[in-house]
Amino acid sequence: MKQFDRELDVDRLTGLPNLFSIIRDLKHTPPRESGLMVAFDLTNFAQVNQVHGETVGDCVIQVAATSLRESCTLHDADSHLYRIGGDEFLACLPGTDREEMQSFVESASERFSDQLQIASLPQVSIRHSAVLYPFEAKTLAAALVRLYLTMRTAKEEKDQIFSPQGDLGLEHLVDRLLGRFEETLLQLHETREVALTDAISGLANHRAGESALTSLTNRYIETKQEFSVLFVDGDNLKVYNEQLGYDGGNTMIRHLGKSIASSVREDDRVCRWFSGDEFMILLPNTDRQEAYKIANRLRRRVISAFAGWPHPVTISVGVASCPEDGSDPHELVKKAANANVKAKRLGKNRVV
């Protein structure tokens, strides 16, 4: 979870802490020492993207980040640099007055220009604006708005600083925030997909299966809608692992998962369980008799799907149903697993 938190707080392109980090660092643990909060942006950056392409533009942003980060480190080890978004950065310089800031900005600008030249990138310059902290404004939000009010640019046509106008500054700040929220939602979605997906089969994993099973039991309590659970286990993974190696075993698991998933109904849920070639199938609105028929149909389809494989692939299936076998999710899984064990003992390739 800590790694996930860091990913949300870090800008993907530059590796710098992002706008969420500013909120975390300055709102919740504001600097004790007075200093300056300096905002930077690049002149004519939109033109770089238009003329040279976004790939070159990204390189310019990375050079700007490196130059500013090096300048901050040389200025003061306790300085912090953030990427707000686009071509905009924010530096917090503790113990720095405006005269020292000017020297810092000149040094950073020179370093940035030199590194652009070394990398054979288009020349753009850095522009800045600053507010004092403890904030001249009463809150972090007010301080950020004040910075934006002094730095707005018309990048589509001419690169000139607007005179402070509240609507433009607030609109831009909200636009940046919305952009960060959109990125965060995307990362949350990606992380959720990874957390709930089995890496080998590509199916939902046991965590997702447990969540879906809990939802079905809760729905039963509310609506009395019955459902069934199929505990599916392949009968010959050991042969594949021993004769074809674990890669061969994983290939069999992957294809078995696809075969199962393609054979169930639209509303049924399939997940890979804890290990090996174990799978759990949840059948909403399905009684035990219907679940038994579905399990046998699935068993026959697996035989057909793997007819040409080096070794026969079959499955044993244990069935448990709610409410016949109870409504506790853990008890249902246990009963389905026990039925699966019985199917194995009776000779495999069968439903119990």
Side-chain angles (χ1 to χ4, degrees):
M1 191 63 185
K2 289 182 179 179
Q3 177 62 37
F4 174 49
D5 290 341
R6 283 197 296 271
E7 290 175 355
L8 290 180
D9 288 350
V10 174
D11 174 63
R12 290 184 172 185
L13 178 62
T14 64
L16 291 174
N18 63 18
L19 189 57
F20 287 120
S21 292
I22 299 173
I23 297 171
R24 178 199 62 202
D25 294 347
L26 300 183
K27 182 176 178 64
H28 300 294
T29 54
R32 295 179 182 178
E33 185 180 0
S34 63
L36 286 173
M37 182 186 290
V38 187
F40 299 91
D41 77 338
L42 308 182
T43 61
N44 298 314
F45 179 69
Q47 205 170 15
V48 172
N49 281 334
Q50 292 170 3
V51 175
H52 302 281
E54 292 186 2
T55 299
V56 172
D58 285 348
C59 290
V60 171
I61 291 295
Q62 289 171 327
V63 170
T66 300
S67 304
L68 290 170
R69 181 165 41 201
E70 291 174 354
S71 298
C72 284
T73 301
L74 291 172
H75 176 77
D76 191 303
D78 293 327
S79 298
H80 295 284
L81 180 67
Y82 306 86
R83 185 186 181 199
I84 300 174
D87 62 338
E88 295 166 347
F89 301 86
L90 183 73
C92 291
L93 308 176
T96 301
D97 58 29
R98 291 188 180 275
E99 186 176 343
E100 292 171 324
M101 179 201 68
Q102 193 59 41
S103 175
F104 162 78
V105 170
E106 290 174 0
S107 174
S109 297
E110 184 177 348
R111 179 175 282 103
F112 176 48
S113 179
D114 289 345
Q115 292 188 10
L116 286 176
Q117 187 172 1
I118 292 171
S120 299
L121 292 169
Q123 283 290 328
V124 295
S125 59
I126 295 176
R127 179 174 45 215
H128 73 278
S129 179
V131 294
L132 292 169
Y133 66 79
F135 302 127
E136 296 167 340
K138 292 182 179 181
T139 65
L140 172 61
L144 290 175
V145 169
R146 179 165 183 159
L147 279 172
Y148 275 97
L149 292 177
T150 58
M151 283 198 70
R152 289 317 314 126
T153 58
K155 297 182 178 181
E156 292 79 6
E157 298 178 1
K158 295 182 179 179
D159 194 67
Q160 59 185 14
I161 299 179
F162 278 114
S163 59
Q165 296 179 41
D167 289 343
L168 289 172
L170 289 173
E171 180 181 345
H172 187 70
L173 180 56
V174 171
D175 183 62
R176 288 295 180 217
L177 285 169
L178 290 175
R180 299 293 76 73
F181 286 139
E182 184 178 8
E183 289 179 5
T184 302
L185 287 173
L186 177 61
Q187 290 182 52
L188 285 170
H189 176 74
E190 292 173 350
T191 303
R192 183 178 184 277
E193 287 296 309
V194 170
L196 298 179
T197 302
D198 173 62
I200 292 177
S201 67
L203 298 173
N205 61 18
H206 73 275
R207 185 182 293 109
E210 288 177 339
S211 177
L213 180 56
T214 300
S215 296
L216 281 178
T217 54
N218 289 339
R219 185 186 304 172
Y220 170 75
I221 293 171
E222 294 176 2
T223 67
K224 302 305 177 183
Q225 184 183 92
E226 58 193 354
F227 67 91
S228 294
V229 175
L230 306 184
F231 193 101
V232 180
D233 191 11
D235 293 327
N236 47 14
L237 175 61
K238 184 177 180 181
V239 174
Y240 274 83
N241 285 340
E242 289 177 348
Q243 298 192 15
L244 300 177
Y246 284 100
D247 286 342
N250 286 341
T251 298
M252 190 272 279
I253 290 170
R254 191 175 302 111
H255 283 270
L256 179 57
K258 289 181 179 179
S259 178
I260 293 172
S262 65
S263 301
V264 298
R265 301 168 304 182
E266 184 178 355
D267 292 335
D268 297 337
R269 297 291 297 274
V270 181
C271 66
R272 187 186 179 209
W273 210 232
F274 283 99
S275 62
D277 48 354
E278 293 178 347
F279 299 89
M280 183 71 71
I281 305 175
L282 305 178
L283 308 174
N285 198 26
T286 305
D287 61 19
R288 178 185 291 170
Q289 184 177 6
E290 182 65 20
Y292 186 83
K293 293 179 181 178
I294 291 172
N296 261 313
R297 185 166 63 244
L298 177 63
R299 181 184 60 82
R300 291 191 294 269
R301 287 184 178 178
V302 167
I303 294 173
S304 176
F306 288 86
W309 279 57
H311 304 285
V313 176
T314 60
I315 57 174
S316 297
V317 186
V319 181
S321 300
C322 172
E324 293 95 326
D325 296 304
S327 59
D328 178 83
H330 299 292
E331 188 66 22
L332 285 169
V333 170
K334 182 179 179 181
K335 288 184 177 181
N338 288 341
N340 181 274
V341 171
K342 186 175 180 180
K344 296 275 193 180
R345 288 175 179 171
L346 291 174
K348 302 180 180 181
N349 189 24
R350 65 189 63 221
V351 178
V352 171

